[in-house]
Amino acid sequence: MTTEHPVRLDALLASSARTHPGRTALEGAGESWTYAQLEHAVAESAERLTANGLAPGDRVGVFAPKSPATVIALYAALRAGAVVAPLDVADPPERTARMIRNAGLSLLLTTDRALAGAHRAAARARDGVPADDGALDHGLHWLRVLAPDERPGPLPAPTDRGGYILFTSGSTGWPKGVLLSHENVAHYALWAAGEFGLTPEDRIGSQAALTFDLTTFDLFSAAAVGACTVLMPDLLRAFPRDVAGWLTEQRITHFVAVPSLYHGMLQQGGIADAPPPHLRVAAFGGEAFAPELLERYLELLDGVPFYNLYGPTETNACTYYRVPADWSADQELTIGRGIAGVHIEVLDEDGRPTDGEGEIHIAGPTVFQGYLRGGEPSDPTRTVVFRDGVARRAYASGDIGRITSDGRVFLRGRRDSQVKRRGHRIDLMDVESAVLDLPQVATAAVVAKSGPHAGQIWAYAQADASERELLAALRDVLPKRMLPDRVVPVTTLPTTTSGKVDRRALSDDGDPTPTGAEPIPTGSVLIEEIPA
């Protein structure tokens, strides 16, 4: 399903409210909302926001745990013409404050449960000055972060009339705001609704945080056809057995999740003993799927389509591959081809299309409008001449891959310091910046480990502190998903012959202290595993 004309995300909801007013649109937190009820709440809240000074093009943060009230807040801000930024209540207040400042958010929407945390984040963003607030209906509150005369300048069209902001890890320690238009998000949502065969009778299991781009399918693809979005309780993600049971109890027909959650359900969740009987389509994205476990899932799901989705936050999901039922672990897994309207090209170091390995470039209607830094937009895309001779505005993904003659793409790794952990993109320089900002630390290096500790993030810090003390300090500035698996205090860091930190030695060595680094005898201990 595609569209030739830009579609507003809130218009998808309004359309289904007209055609399917009595169908269930949303379930979660013990609540059930029909499309007519949800549309009425959204329209009412949007009017209240406009009456309180929200103007089209303003940037609004939604700071609340995932619940029906949070979904109403997102839609209401979109209906009022705002650019909406979901925020994670679990992030440290200082990091949330950086997101607020970087994106130029003028207003925060929150709920009773998250109001105190929203005030703390807003105060940090305002250099300690408390924010004015007020109440809306449906348990919602607003906090004014910027006065009307302090609002940043208008955004470029089409985001000047509203859109979406998602945040990614940035190398400077400041999360980057990814600026998306209604069309950027709606194009993927409409395509996915068609490709996955969504109908008004379907029930989509929404397990990811609203800050994760997987949820654009959960919300907007469902609204496009009048399906029901079922919000999974956040606590369940740490208990794979409960997730597997929840899929059955809630009669989930469509489910999109990161591979680590699928891994947990198979290895610890008992899904092999009781596959969800109502599941019609499953999909994964955000990180690599363990080949042996993927092969077992294909046998377990017995004909249920299982999709591999790929795409950085800057493009949403932009390629797809329906994994064949007879795929086996000894075969290389492709990320597939571009979704309808999206063009993929692989360029060599000279910026020319290549049949060998190169950087993956993405062009088409899902490509974002730019980054927000200090409230101001910047567009990192460039014009690329694809092998068909057409010049297109393209985003350089940072992913290395190769493309076959029939358009299938295979990933080969990254060209920078970014890694994926449980579906989240993490820039190691972001973590390193947080370590270097600690007053106890003189210098530091953060690496992704290989060898016996492959997949872990380790920080090596020249510091007058123990690992436990450094970790405690990092918990105040980094979200749990970004915390290093180890923080190793050292007196020196290994260097190359040119005097630079030898990151390869730090990454490759399986020992806590690589050759050339001298440990501080502090009795460091391995931190507890972070729940998925």
Side-chain angles (χ1 to χ4, degrees):
M1 182 183 299
T2 59
T3 177
E4 296 181 357
H5 302 288
V7 173
R8 290 186 59 86
L9 297 170
D10 55 293
L12 298 175
L13 173 66
S15 177
S16 281
R18 290 190 297 270
T19 55
H20 306 289
R23 297 204 69 89
T24 303
L26 184 64
E27 291 181 359
E31 302 176 23
S32 179
W33 293 72
T34 67
Y35 271 95
Q37 290 169 335
L38 188 60
E39 167 63 18
H40 177 75
V42 167
E44 185 178 61
S45 298
E47 290 179 4
R48 294 285 301 277
L49 288 173
T50 301
N52 279 280
L54 182 64
D58 280 354
R59 307 160 202 185
V60 175
V62 176
F63 182 91
K66 190 165 69 173
S67 70
T70 316
V71 174
I72 292 170
L74 283 171
Y75 269 119
L78 290 170
R79 180 67 55 80
V83 184
V84 183
L87 300 169
D88 194 336
V89 296
D91 283 352
E94 178 54 37
R95 190 170 183 84
T96 300
R98 288 188 173 194
M99 294 179 188
I100 292 171
R101 292 194 291 266
N102 235 12
L105 304 184
S106 60
L107 200 72
L108 289 185
L109 297 180
T110 187
T111 58
D112 295 333
R113 179 178 164 191
L115 183 58
H119 271 290
R120 285 193 294 271
R124 294 206 181 197
R126 291 163 55 88
D127 296 323
V129 179
D132 297 331
D133 67 8
L136 300 171
D137 293 328
H138 313 293
L140 294 173
H141 301 265
W142 58 265
L143 283 75
R144 195 177 308 285
V145 183
L146 297 176
D149 60 349
E150 297 175 323
R151 290 169 176 154
L155 294 171
T159 46
D160 60 342
R161 299 297 294 182
Y164 226 67
I165 299 172
L166 295 172
F167 291 93
T168 67
S169 181
S171 60
T172 63
W174 284 74
K176 295 185 293 186
V178 175
L179 181 60
L180 300 155
S181 68
H182 283 262
E183 182 185 10
N184 292 150
V185 179
H187 184 88
Y188 164 70
L190 292 170
W191 170 85
E195 176 65 29
F196 297 161
L198 272 179
T199 71
E201 288 74 32
D202 283 315
R203 294 170 61 82
I204 297 175
S206 180
Q207 57 80 33
L210 292 173
T211 54
F212 201 4
D213 54 10
L214 289 183
T215 58
T216 58
F217 166 76
D218 302 344
L219 294 181
F220 305 120
S221 296
V225 301
C228 178
T229 301
V230 186
L231 305 180
M232 189 182 85
D234 290 338
L235 286 176
L236 259 61
R237 285 200 296 271
F239 302 97
R241 182 171 295 277
D242 291 337
V243 174
W246 180 85
L247 292 173
T248 296
E249 293 164 6
Q250 297 298 324
R251 309 184 310 283
I252 300 302
T253 64
H254 290 67
F255 192 62
V256 183
V258 293
S260 53
L261 182 57
Y262 282 109
H263 294 171
M265 287 193 291
L266 190 58
Q267 295 173 315
Q268 305 143 25
I271 197 171
D273 300 326
H278 304 283
L279 194 64
R280 292 205 304 111
V281 174
F284 64 91
E287 59 190 354
F289 210 117
E292 294 79 10
L293 299 186
L294 178 56
E295 183 178 345
R296 287 179 62 189
Y297 260 108
L298 293 172
E299 297 171 355
L300 174 68
L301 295 180
D302 191 24
V304 172
F306 206 13
Y307 285 83
N308 182 11
L309 302 175
Y310 160 83
T313 303
E314 290 85 349
T315 68
N316 212 313
C318 60
T319 74
Y320 73 107
Y321 181 63
R322 180 170 171 171
V323 186
D326 61 353
W327 183 90
S328 59
D330 60 353
Q331 301 177 49
E332 187 177 10
L333 183 66
T334 175
I335 59 173
R337 302 176 178 84
I339 71 171
V342 170
H343 299 269
I344 308 295
E345 188 59 271
V346 173
L347 303 183
D348 62 19
E349 292 183 355
D350 296 322
R352 295 173 299 195
T354 177
D355 293 327
E357 292 188 2
E359 186 173 7
I360 296 171
H361 286 65
I362 303 155
T366 65
V367 176
F368 75 140
Q369 306 304 303
Y371 293 117
L372 288 173
R373 293 186 176 93
E376 298 301 322
S378 63
D379 184 0
T381 62
R382 62 190 181 97
T383 300
V384 169
V385 178
F386 283 55
R387 66 185 65 208
D388 62 3
V390 178
R392 298 181 174 95
R393 173 179 174 265
Y395 170 69
S397 68
D399 288 323
I400 302 300
R402 66 178 179 87
I403 189 168
T404 61
S405 59
D406 61 357
R408 290 178 300 142
V409 181
F410 293 83
L411 286 180
R412 289 291 184 266
R414 290 287 302 179
R415 63 171 297 174
D416 53 24
S417 62
Q418 291 184 359
V419 298
K420 284 291 188 73
R421 176 192 257 179
R422 300 181 182 94
H424 294 281
R425 194 170 84 191
I426 299 171
D427 195 311
L428 297 179
M429 295 299 100
D430 193 351
V431 182
E432 187 169 304
S433 178
V435 178
L436 289 170
D437 281 346
L438 299 179
Q440 310 97 309
V441 174
T443 189
V446 173
V447 298
K449 296 294 284 187
S450 57
H453 302 290
Q456 295 185 1
I457 296 174
W458 285 28
Y460 294 89
Q462 186 176 336
D464 184 19
S466 68
E467 179 169 10
R468 189 178 298 276
E469 291 168 335
L470 293 171
L471 177 61
L474 287 175
R475 289 185 191 276
D476 291 335
V477 293
L478 287 176
K480 184 178 290 187
R481 63 183 177 274
M482 293 178 63
L483 283 173
D485 297 278
R486 290 291 310 270
V487 183
V488 183
V490 296
T491 56
T492 60
L493 292 170
T495 57
T496 64
T497 54
S498 63
K500 298 180 180 180
V501 173
D502 191 345
R503 296 179 185 273
R504 182 181 295 275
L506 293 172
S507 175
D508 292 345
D509 199 311
D511 297 326
T513 309
T515 302
E518 299 178 13
I520 295 177
T522 58
S524 299
V525 296
L526 189 67
I527 69 170
E528 70 271 18
E529 183 180 354
I530 302 171

